[in-house]
Amino acid sequence: MNVLSVLSHPREDSLTFAVARSFNEGLVNAGHNPEVLDLYRENFDPRLFQADEPDWNDPNKQYSVAVEHEMNRLRRNDAISIIFPVWWYNLPAITKGWIDRVWNHGFAYGGGRKMEQNKILWIALAGESESSFKKRKYDKLLEHHLNIGIAGYCGIADSEVKIIYNTFGEGIHEDGIDSAHVFYQNILQQAYDLGKEF
């Protein structure tokens, strides 16, 4: 299966990048073919322009060149993974902007249209502990927004949110560097397994 792996983080030495690499390695070892879209390194502009969203009532509308490029990228992939840090309990602006500009009326929804992909996996990296995150139901907030408000609205039936918690490693340094190493290796193994089982 061809899988579009969308990555958003400003720093290449981030845990988000490491998770993406492990996930994509798992995809490859499972026989899938990942195509990586690194929104920052490709300088994707998250702002929605008038040319990106032509007249809704025109069935022959043409989108901007940048949007058509991304639509074609989606067309050649069977499934999607979106790997991102949780900022303000939501997607980073650049990731949301990619969805705003590309998952457009007449392409992803509207007039009987829906996304061609039938599977999406959202891998969210949260700095908070699982108990803290769930205490305020931020996990449910993300799941509802991503699975129903975005994927479901665009006809993607198989949508799942996987949250990797405590990415700041709170409490792990008390036992020394070895336990920190083990902690982060476990996160990368979790990401690899998600790719292998995709």
Side-chain angles (χ1 to χ4, degrees), residues 135-191:
K135 178 181 179 181
R136 295 168 183 83
K137 299 184 179 178
Y138 291 133
D139 57 327
K140 300 301 181 190
L141 175 80
L142 267 182
E143 289 168 3
H144 186 83
H145 176 54
L146 301 177
N147 290 334
I148 299 172
I150 297 179
Y153 190 75
C154 295
I156 303 175
D158 185 357
S159 177
E160 185 176 8
V161 177
K162 288 289 187 180
I163 303 172
I164 298 175
Y165 294 102
N166 194 24
T167 57
F168 294 149
E170 184 179 343
I172 65 168
H173 299 290
E174 297 167 4
D175 297 328
I177 190 76
D178 289 341
S179 60
H181 175 75
V182 169
F183 176 82
Y184 286 111
Q185 283 305 119
N186 286 339
I187 286 179
L188 298 183
Q189 183 63 49
Q190 183 181 349

Side-chain angles (χ1 to χ4, degrees), residues 27-183:
L27 284 178
V28 170
N29 289 340
H32 301 303
N33 179 36
E35 177 182 353
V36 176
L37 167 54
D38 179 349
L39 292 171
Y40 276 94
R41 256 46 60 186
E42 292 200 18
N43 291 315
F44 181 80
D45 191 335
R47 296 173 299 166
L48 177 69
F49 297 96
Q50 183 174 338
D52 301 331
E53 191 178 59
D55 182 2
W56 281 29
N57 298 317
D58 181 2
N60 301 312
K61 59 187 163 198
Q62 292 185 327
Y63 303 98
S64 68
V65 172
V67 166
E68 282 289 352
H69 176 76
E70 294 303 323
M71 288 177 171
N72 286 331
R73 197 191 307 254
L74 278 164
R75 288 183 183 108
R76 63 178 175 256
N77 284 282
D78 309 300
I80 307 166
S81 66
I82 298 184
I83 305 164
F84 63 97
V86 177
W87 290 343
W88 295 105
Y89 306 102
N90 208 331
L91 297 164
I94 197 168
T95 315
K96 179 61 166 52
W98 179 74
I99 294 170
D100 287 346
R101 290 187 73 189
V102 181
W103 297 32
N104 214 316
H105 182 273
F107 172 75
Y109 68 95
R113 296 288 183 114
K114 63 178 187 172
M115 297 284 280
E116 296 176 10
Q117 295 75 23
N118 59 9
K119 182 173 185 175
I120 184 168
L121 177 63
W122 311 82
I123 302 177
L125 283 78
E128 282 186 64
S129 67
E130 184 172 358
S131 60
S132 174
F133 209 79
K134 289 186 172 182
K135 178 181 179 181
R136 295 168 183 83
K137 299 184 179 178
Y138 291 133
D139 57 327
K140 300 301 181 190
L141 175 80
L142 267 182
E143 289 168 3
H144 186 83
H145 176 54
L146 301 177
N147 290 334
I148 299 172
I150 297 179
Y153 190 75
C154 295
I156 303 175
D158 185 357
S159 177
E160 185 176 8
V161 177
K162 288 289 187 180
I163 303 172
I164 298 175
Y165 294 102
N166 194 24
T167 57
F168 294 149
E170 184 179 343
I172 65 168
H173 299 290
E174 297 167 4
D175 297 328
I177 190 76
D178 289 341
S179 60
H181 175 75
V182 169
F183 176 82

Side-chain angles (χ1 to χ4, degrees), residues 15-24 83 123 125 164 187-188 191:
L15 181 59
T16 303
F17 251 80
V19 163
R21 282 192 295 270
S22 293
F23 173 75
N24 288 324
I83 305 164
I123 302 177
L125 283 78
I164 298 175
I187 286 179
L188 298 183

